[in-house]
PDB file of all heavy atoms in Angstrom:
ATOM      1  N   ALA A   1      14.979 -14.002  -7.099  1.00 98.00           N
ATOM      2  CA  ALA A   1      15.065 -13.243  -5.856  1.00 98.00           C
ATOM      3  C   ALA A   1      13.688 -13.185  -5.222  1.00 98.00           C
ATOM      4  O   ALA A   1      12.668 -13.150  -5.911  1.00 98.00           O
ATOM      5  CB  ALA A   1      15.585 -11.832  -6.121  1.00 98.00           C
ATOM      6  N   LEU A   2      13.662 -13.162  -3.893  1.00 98.00           N
ATOM      7  CA  LEU A   2      12.438 -12.938  -3.135  1.00 98.00           C
ATOM      8  C   LEU A   2      12.453 -11.494  -2.646  1.00 98.00           C
ATOM      9  O   LEU A   2      13.397 -11.070  -1.977  1.00 98.00           O
ATOM     10  CB  LEU A   2      12.344 -13.894  -1.951  1.00 98.00           C
ATOM     11  CG  LEU A   2      12.294 -15.386  -2.296  1.00 98.00           C
ATOM     12  CD1 LEU A   2      12.272 -16.222  -1.016  1.00 98.00           C
ATOM     13  CD2 LEU A   2      11.077 -15.707  -3.151  1.00 98.00           C
ATOM     14  N   ILE A   3      11.420 -10.754  -3.017  1.00 98.00           N
ATOM     15  CA  ILE A   3      11.355  -9.326  -2.732  1.00 98.00           C
ATOM     16  C   ILE A   3      10.263  -9.091  -1.689  1.00 98.00           C
ATOM     17  O   ILE A   3       9.103  -9.443  -1.902  1.00 98.00           O
ATOM     18  CB  ILE A   3      11.027  -8.519  -4.008  1.00 98.00           C
ATOM     19  CG1 ILE A   3      11.918  -8.969  -5.180  1.00 98.00           C
ATOM     20  CG2 ILE A   3      11.157  -7.032  -3.748  1.00 98.00           C
ATOM     21  CD1 ILE A   3      13.389  -8.808  -4.938  1.00 98.00           C
ATOM     22  N   TYR A   4      10.634  -8.481  -0.556  1.00 98.00           N
ATOM     23  CA  TYR A   4       9.709  -8.236   0.554  1.00 98.00           C
ATOM     24  C   TYR A   4       9.332  -6.753   0.596  1.00 98.00           C
ATOM     25  O   TYR A   4      10.211  -5.881   0.556  1.00 98.00           O
ATOM     26  CB  TYR A   4      10.357  -8.621   1.889  1.00 98.00           C
ATOM     27  CG  TYR A   4      10.657 -10.090   2.047  1.00 98.00           C
ATOM     28  CD1 TYR A   4      11.704 -10.698   1.351  1.00 98.00           C
ATOM     29  CD2 TYR A   4       9.894 -10.876   2.906  1.00 98.00           C
ATOM     30  CE1 TYR A   4      11.990 -12.052   1.503  1.00 98.00           C
ATOM     31  CE2 TYR A   4      10.175 -12.237   3.073  1.00 98.00           C
ATOM     32  CZ  TYR A   4      11.220 -12.811   2.366  1.00 98.00           C
ATOM     33  OH  TYR A   4      11.488 -14.153   2.518  1.00 98.00           O
ATOM     34  N   PHE A   5       8.042  -6.494   0.712  1.00 97.00           N
ATOM     35  CA  PHE A   5       7.593  -5.103   0.758  1.00 97.00           C
ATOM     36  C   PHE A   5       6.241  -5.010   1.443  1.00 97.00           C
ATOM     37  O   PHE A   5       5.483  -5.979   1.529  1.00 97.00           O
ATOM     38  CB  PHE A   5       7.522  -4.512  -0.657  1.00 97.00           C
ATOM     39  CG  PHE A   5       6.721  -5.344  -1.627  1.00 97.00           C
ATOM     40  CD1 PHE A   5       5.364  -5.132  -1.813  1.00 97.00           C
ATOM     41  CD2 PHE A   5       7.333  -6.362  -2.358  1.00 97.00           C
ATOM     42  CE1 PHE A   5       4.636  -5.907  -2.699  1.00 97.00           C
ATOM     43  CE2 PHE A   5       6.611  -7.150  -3.249  1.00 97.00           C
ATOM     44  CZ  PHE A   5       5.256  -6.917  -3.416  1.00 97.00           C
ATOM     45  N   ALA A   6       5.948  -3.803   1.935  1.00 97.00           N
ATOM     46  CA  ALA A   6       4.658  -3.546   2.590  1.00 97.00           C
ATOM     47  C   ALA A   6       3.627  -3.042   1.601  1.00 97.00           C
ATOM     48  O   ALA A   6       2.430  -3.095   1.876  1.00 97.00           O
ATOM     49  CB  ALA A   6       4.837  -2.532   3.722  1.00 97.00           C
ATOM     50  N   GLY A   7       4.075  -2.502   0.470  1.00 96.00           N
ATOM     51  CA  GLY A   7       3.150  -2.111  -0.582  1.00 96.00           C
ATOM     52  C   GLY A   7       2.895  -0.626  -0.734  1.00 96.00           C
ATOM     53  O   GLY A   7       1.945  -0.234  -1.414  1.00 96.00           O
ATOM     54  N   LEU A   8       3.735   0.223  -0.131  1.00 97.00           N
ATOM     55  CA  LEU A   8       3.544   1.670  -0.246  1.00 97.00           C
ATOM     56  C   LEU A   8       4.768   2.327  -0.881  1.00 97.00           C
ATOM     57  O   LEU A   8       5.905   1.915  -0.623  1.00 97.00           O
ATOM     58  CB  LEU A   8       3.308   2.306   1.126  1.00 97.00           C
ATOM     59  CG  LEU A   8       1.996   1.988   1.828  1.00 97.00           C
ATOM     60  CD1 LEU A   8       1.921   2.760   3.145  1.00 97.00           C
ATOM     61  CD2 LEU A   8       0.798   2.328   0.956  1.00 97.00           C
ATOM     62  N   PRO A   9       4.549   3.382  -1.688  1.00 96.00           N
ATOM     63  CA  PRO A   9       5.668   4.177  -2.202  1.00 96.00           C
ATOM     64  C   PRO A   9       6.162   5.137  -1.122  1.00 96.00           C
ATOM     65  O   PRO A   9       5.510   5.298  -0.074  1.00 96.00           O
ATOM     66  CB  PRO A   9       5.023   4.948  -3.362  1.00 96.00           C
ATOM     67  CG  PRO A   9       3.601   5.129  -2.929  1.00 96.00           C
ATOM     68  CD  PRO A   9       3.248   3.875  -2.179  1.00 96.00           C
ATOM     69  N   ASP A  10       7.290   5.792  -1.376  1.00 95.00           N
ATOM     70  CA  ASP A  10       7.822   6.714  -0.370  1.00 95.00           C
ATOM     71  C   ASP A  10       7.359   8.153  -0.571  1.00 95.00           C
ATOM     72  O   ASP A  10       7.662   9.019   0.235  1.00 95.00           O
ATOM     73  CB  ASP A  10       9.354   6.664  -0.340  1.00 95.00           C
ATOM     74  CG  ASP A  10      10.009   7.170  -1.625  1.00 95.00           C
ATOM     75  OD1 ASP A  10       9.465   8.079  -2.282  1.00 95.00           O
ATOM     76  OD2 ASP A  10      11.074   6.654  -1.986  1.00 95.00           O
ATOM     77  N   TYR A  11       6.621   8.425  -1.648  1.00 94.00           N
ATOM     78  CA  TYR A  11       6.135   9.791  -1.868  1.00 94.00           C
ATOM     79  C   TYR A  11       4.754   9.975  -1.239  1.00 94.00           C
ATOM     80  O   TYR A  11       4.077   9.014  -0.869  1.00 94.00           O
ATOM     81  CB  TYR A  11       6.105  10.115  -3.362  1.00 94.00           C
ATOM     82  CG  TYR A  11       5.411   9.105  -4.241  1.00 94.00           C
ATOM     83  CD1 TYR A  11       4.029   8.941  -4.233  1.00 94.00           C
ATOM     84  CD2 TYR A  11       6.156   8.288  -5.094  1.00 94.00           C
ATOM     85  CE1 TYR A  11       3.401   8.022  -5.047  1.00 94.00           C
ATOM     86  CE2 TYR A  11       5.536   7.353  -5.909  1.00 94.00           C
ATOM     87  CZ  TYR A  11       4.155   7.228  -5.881  1.00 94.00           C
ATOM     88  OH  TYR A  11       3.536   6.308  -6.683  1.00 94.00           O
ATOM     89  N   THR A  12       4.343  11.214  -1.119  1.00 94.00           N
ATOM     90  CA  THR A  12       3.044  11.517  -0.544  1.00 94.00           C
ATOM     91  C   THR A  12       1.934  10.979  -1.433  1.00 94.00           C
ATOM     92  O   THR A  12       1.867  11.309  -2.614  1.00 94.00           O
ATOM     93  CB  THR A  12       2.856  13.036  -0.384  1.00 94.00           C
ATOM     94  OG1 THR A  12       3.915  13.560   0.414  1.00 94.00           O
ATOM     95  CG2 THR A  12       1.526  13.353   0.280  1.00 94.00           C
ATOM     96  N   ILE A  13       1.074  10.147  -0.867  1.00 94.00           N
ATOM     97  CA  ILE A  13      -0.052   9.634  -1.637  1.00 94.00           C
ATOM     98  C   ILE A  13      -1.290  10.455  -1.297  1.00 94.00           C
ATOM     99  O   ILE A  13      -1.595  10.700  -0.132  1.00 94.00           O
ATOM    100  CB  ILE A  13      -0.286   8.136  -1.401  1.00 94.00           C
ATOM    101  CG1 ILE A  13      -0.495   7.802   0.069  1.00 94.00           C
ATOM    102  CG2 ILE A  13       0.880   7.341  -1.943  1.00 94.00           C
ATOM    103  CD1 ILE A  13      -0.795   6.336   0.330  1.00 94.00           C
ATOM    104  N   GLY A  14      -1.989  10.880  -2.330  1.00 93.00           N
ATOM    105  CA  GLY A  14      -3.189  11.675  -2.137  1.00 93.00           C
ATOM    106  C   GLY A  14      -4.331  10.822  -1.608  1.00 93.00           C
ATOM    107  O   GLY A  14      -4.424   9.634  -1.885  1.00 93.00           O
ATOM    108  N   THR A  15      -5.203  11.457  -0.852  1.00 93.00           N
ATOM    109  CA  THR A  15      -6.392  10.787  -0.338  1.00 93.00           C
ATOM    110  C   THR A  15      -7.546  11.015  -1.301  1.00 93.00           C
ATOM    111  O   THR A  15      -7.818  12.161  -1.662  1.00 93.00           O
ATOM    112  CB  THR A  15      -6.772  11.343   1.042  1.00 93.00           C
ATOM    113  OG1 THR A  15      -5.659  11.232   1.925  1.00 93.00           O
ATOM    114  CG2 THR A  15      -7.961  10.596   1.624  1.00 93.00           C
ATOM    115  N   PRO A  16      -8.227   9.975  -1.748  1.00 91.00           N
ATOM    116  CA  PRO A  16      -9.385  10.184  -2.621  1.00 91.00           C
ATOM    117  C   PRO A  16     -10.453  11.019  -1.919  1.00 91.00           C
ATOM    118  O   PRO A  16     -10.536  11.052  -0.687  1.00 91.00           O
ATOM    119  CB  PRO A  16      -9.888   8.756  -2.882  1.00 91.00           C
ATOM    120  CG  PRO A  16      -8.725   7.870  -2.591  1.00 91.00           C
ATOM    121  CD  PRO A  16      -7.966   8.552  -1.505  1.00 91.00           C
ATOM    122  N   SER A  17     -11.276  11.678  -2.698  1.00 85.00           N
ATOM    123  CA  SER A  17     -12.323  12.509  -2.112  1.00 85.00           C
ATOM    124  C   SER A  17     -13.504  11.684  -1.620  1.00 85.00           C
ATOM    125  O   SER A  17     -14.273  12.133  -0.772  1.00 85.00           O
ATOM    126  CB  SER A  17     -12.800  13.551  -3.140  1.00 85.00           C
ATOM    127  OG  SER A  17     -13.271  12.926  -4.314  1.00 85.00           O
ATOM    128  N   LEU A  18     -13.654  10.443  -2.133  1.00 81.00           N
ATOM    129  CA  LEU A  18     -14.715   9.539  -1.710  1.00 81.00           C
ATOM    130  C   LEU A  18     -14.116   8.199  -1.289  1.00 81.00           C
ATOM    131  O   LEU A  18     -13.000   7.854  -1.674  1.00 81.00           O
ATOM    132  CB  LEU A  18     -15.716   9.315  -2.833  1.00 81.00           C
ATOM    133  CG  LEU A  18     -16.498  10.543  -3.339  1.00 81.00           C
ATOM    134  CD1 LEU A  18     -17.343  10.172  -4.554  1.00 81.00           C
ATOM    135  CD2 LEU A  18     -17.378  11.128  -2.241  1.00 81.00           C
ATOM    136  N   PHE A  19     -14.868   7.444  -0.520  1.00 78.00           N
ATOM    137  CA  PHE A  19     -14.430   6.131  -0.022  1.00 78.00           C
ATOM    138  C   PHE A  19     -13.100   6.238   0.726  1.00 78.00           C
ATOM    139  O   PHE A  19     -12.213   5.401   0.575  1.00 78.00           O
ATOM    140  CB  PHE A  19     -14.312   5.136  -1.177  1.00 78.00           C
ATOM    141  CG  PHE A  19     -15.620   4.533  -1.621  1.00 78.00           C
ATOM    142  CD1 PHE A  19     -16.817   5.186  -1.395  1.00 78.00           C
ATOM    143  CD2 PHE A  19     -15.666   3.325  -2.281  1.00 78.00           C
ATOM    144  CE1 PHE A  19     -18.019   4.655  -1.812  1.00 78.00           C
ATOM    145  CE2 PHE A  19     -16.878   2.771  -2.705  1.00 78.00           C
ATOM    146  CZ  PHE A  19     -18.054   3.438  -2.466  1.00 78.00           C
ATOM    147  N   THR A  20     -12.956   7.274   1.521  1.00 82.00           N
ATOM    148  CA  THR A  20     -11.707   7.474   2.252  1.00 82.00           C
ATOM    149  C   THR A  20     -11.495   6.424   3.330  1.00 82.00           C
ATOM    150  O   THR A  20     -10.392   6.291   3.860  1.00 82.00           O
ATOM    151  CB  THR A  20     -11.672   8.869   2.891  1.00 82.00           C
ATOM    152  OG1 THR A  20     -12.816   9.020   3.746  1.00 82.00           O
ATOM    153  CG2 THR A  20     -11.704   9.953   1.825  1.00 82.00           C
ATOM    154  N   SER A  21     -12.554   5.657   3.637  1.00 83.00           N
ATOM    155  CA  SER A  21     -12.402   4.582   4.627  1.00 83.00           C
ATOM    156  C   SER A  21     -11.616   3.403   4.062  1.00 83.00           C
ATOM    157  O   SER A  21     -11.158   2.546   4.818  1.00 83.00           O
ATOM    158  CB  SER A  21     -13.775   4.106   5.114  1.00 83.00           C
ATOM    159  OG  SER A  21     -14.534   3.571   4.035  1.00 83.00           O
ATOM    160  N   PHE A  22     -11.444   3.351   2.732  1.00 86.00           N
ATOM    161  CA  PHE A  22     -10.629   2.303   2.114  1.00 86.00           C
ATOM    162  C   PHE A  22      -9.165   2.726   2.227  1.00 86.00           C
ATOM    163  O   PHE A  22      -8.566   3.237   1.295  1.00 86.00           O
ATOM    164  CB  PHE A  22     -10.992   2.121   0.645  1.00 86.00           C
ATOM    165  CG  PHE A  22     -12.365   1.550   0.391  1.00 86.00           C
ATOM    166  CD1 PHE A  22     -13.277   1.360   1.401  1.00 86.00           C
ATOM    167  CD2 PHE A  22     -12.736   1.202  -0.889  1.00 86.00           C
ATOM    168  CE1 PHE A  22     -14.541   0.832   1.169  1.00 86.00           C
ATOM    169  CE2 PHE A  22     -14.001   0.673  -1.153  1.00 86.00           C
ATOM    170  CZ  PHE A  22     -14.897   0.489  -0.115  1.00 86.00           C
ATOM    171  N   LYS A  23      -8.589   2.503   3.385  1.00 91.00           N
ATOM    172  CA  LYS A  23      -7.224   2.977   3.650  1.00 91.00           C
ATOM    173  C   LYS A  23      -6.190   1.911   3.281  1.00 91.00           C
ATOM    174  O   LYS A  23      -6.444   0.714   3.413  1.00 91.00           O
ATOM    175  CB  LYS A  23      -7.073   3.349   5.123  1.00 91.00           C
ATOM    176  CG  LYS A  23      -7.952   4.499   5.596  1.00 91.00           C
ATOM    177  CD  LYS A  23      -7.697   4.798   7.064  1.00 91.00           C
ATOM    178  CE  LYS A  23      -8.519   5.991   7.542  1.00 91.00           C
ATOM    179  NZ  LYS A  23      -9.963   5.674   7.597  1.00 91.00           N
ATOM    180  N   PRO A  24      -5.003   2.347   2.836  1.00 94.00           N
ATOM    181  CA  PRO A  24      -3.928   1.386   2.560  1.00 94.00           C
ATOM    182  C   PRO A  24      -3.499   0.671   3.839  1.00 94.00           C
ATOM    183  O   PRO A  24      -3.543   1.238   4.930  1.00 94.00           O
ATOM    184  CB  PRO A  24      -2.795   2.263   2.010  1.00 94.00           C
ATOM    185  CG  PRO A  24      -3.459   3.517   1.557  1.00 94.00           C
ATOM    186  CD  PRO A  24      -4.613   3.726   2.487  1.00 94.00           C
ATOM    187  N   GLY A  25      -3.064  -0.568   3.688  1.00 93.00           N
ATOM    188  CA  GLY A  25      -2.550  -1.336   4.820  1.00 93.00           C
ATOM    189  C   GLY A  25      -1.194  -1.929   4.498  1.00 93.00           C
ATOM    190  O   GLY A  25      -0.677  -1.792   3.384  1.00 93.00           O
ATOM    191  N   ASN A  26      -0.607  -2.573   5.483  1.00 93.00           N
ATOM    192  CA  ASN A  26       0.652  -3.289   5.279  1.00 93.00           C
ATOM    193  C   ASN A  26       0.333  -4.648   4.671  1.00 93.00           C
ATOM    194  O   ASN A  26      -0.377  -5.453   5.274  1.00 93.00           O
ATOM    195  CB  ASN A  26       1.390  -3.458   6.603  1.00 93.00           C
ATOM    196  CG  ASN A  26       2.805  -3.980   6.425  1.00 93.00           C
ATOM    197  OD1 ASN A  26       3.093  -4.715   5.479  1.00 93.00           O
ATOM    198  ND2 ASN A  26       3.694  -3.605   7.334  1.00 93.00           N
ATOM    199  N   LEU A  27       0.857  -4.917   3.489  1.00 92.00           N
ATOM    200  CA  LEU A  27       0.542  -6.157   2.790  1.00 92.00           C
ATOM    201  C   LEU A  27       1.334  -7.349   3.316  1.00 92.00           C
ATOM    202  O   LEU A  27       0.944  -8.496   3.113  1.00 92.00           O
ATOM    203  CB  LEU A  27       0.819  -6.005   1.294  1.00 92.00           C
ATOM    204  CG  LEU A  27       0.122  -4.850   0.573  1.00 92.00           C
ATOM    205  CD1 LEU A  27       0.394  -4.940  -0.916  1.00 92.00           C
ATOM    206  CD2 LEU A  27      -1.359  -4.843   0.860  1.00 92.00           C
ATOM    207  N   TYR A  28       2.475  -7.097   3.951  1.00 94.00           N
ATOM    208  CA  TYR A  28       3.353  -8.178   4.411  1.00 94.00           C
ATOM    209  C   TYR A  28       3.535  -9.205   3.293  1.00 94.00           C
ATOM    210  O   TYR A  28       3.361 -10.410   3.490  1.00 94.00           O
ATOM    211  CB  TYR A  28       2.766  -8.881   5.638  1.00 94.00           C
ATOM    212  CG  TYR A  28       2.635  -8.000   6.853  1.00 94.00           C
ATOM    213  CD1 TYR A  28       1.392  -7.510   7.247  1.00 94.00           C
ATOM    214  CD2 TYR A  28       3.745  -7.656   7.615  1.00 94.00           C
ATOM    215  CE1 TYR A  28       1.249  -6.703   8.365  1.00 94.00           C
ATOM    216  CE2 TYR A  28       3.627  -6.845   8.735  1.00 94.00           C
ATOM    217  CZ  TYR A  28       2.367  -6.374   9.105  1.00 94.00           C
ATOM    218  OH  TYR A  28       2.244  -5.567  10.210  1.00 94.00           O
ATOM    219  N   THR A  29       3.888  -8.742   2.110  1.00 93.00           N
ATOM    220  CA  THR A  29       3.916  -9.684   0.993  1.00 93.00           C
ATOM    221  C   THR A  29       5.315  -9.879   0.424  1.00 93.00           C
ATOM    222  O   THR A  29       6.240  -9.114   0.693  1.00 93.00           O
ATOM    223  CB  THR A  29       2.941  -9.241  -0.113  1.00 93.00           C
ATOM    224  OG1 THR A  29       2.635 -10.347  -0.949  1.00 93.00           O
ATOM    225  CG2 THR A  29       3.514  -8.114  -0.955  1.00 93.00           C
ATOM    226  N   VAL A  30       5.424 -10.933  -0.377  1.00 96.00           N
ATOM    227  CA  VAL A  30       6.690 -11.336  -0.991  1.00 96.00           C
ATOM    228  C   VAL A  30       6.426 -11.677  -2.450  1.00 96.00           C
ATOM    229  O   VAL A  30       5.422 -12.326  -2.762  1.00 96.00           O
ATOM    230  CB  VAL A  30       7.277 -12.591  -0.289  1.00 96.00           C
ATOM    231  CG1 VAL A  30       8.697 -12.859  -0.800  1.00 96.00           C
ATOM    232  CG2 VAL A  30       7.251 -12.453   1.214  1.00 96.00           C
ATOM    233  N   TYR A  31       7.307 -11.221  -3.329  1.00 96.00           N
ATOM    234  CA  TYR A  31       7.243 -11.619  -4.739  1.00 96.00           C
ATOM    235  C   TYR A  31       8.497 -12.413  -5.082  1.00 96.00           C
ATOM    236  O   TYR A  31       9.582 -12.145  -4.548  1.00 96.00           O
ATOM    237  CB  TYR A  31       7.168 -10.384  -5.647  1.00 96.00           C
ATOM    238  CG  TYR A  31       5.784 -10.053  -6.129  1.00 96.00           C
ATOM    239  CD1 TYR A  31       4.702 -10.063  -5.268  1.00 96.00           C
ATOM    240  CD2 TYR A  31       5.552  -9.705  -7.451  1.00 96.00           C
ATOM    241  CE1 TYR A  31       3.432  -9.739  -5.701  1.00 96.00           C
ATOM    242  CE2 TYR A  31       4.288  -9.371  -7.902  1.00 96.00           C
ATOM    243  CZ  TYR A  31       3.226  -9.393  -7.017  1.00 96.00           C
ATOM    244  OH  TYR A  31       1.974  -9.069  -7.461  1.00 96.00           O
TER     245      TYR A  31
END
């Protein structure tokens, strides 16, 4: 099977206290 996902879970993800500029993005990826 080819699985398409953006790479984020559906629950609230916490923001780290440092390096907050490293934000999650849409991966547009397939496995």
Side-chain angles (χ1 to χ4, degrees):
L2 298 177
I3 312 300
Y4 295 73
F5 52 91
L8 291 183
D10 65 33
Y11 50 71
T12 303
I13 56 177
T15 305
S17 58
L18 298 174
F19 280 24
T20 57
S21 62
F22 292 7
K23 297 181 177 69
N26 190 330
L27 305 186
Y28 296 105
T29 200
V30 189
Y31 260 45

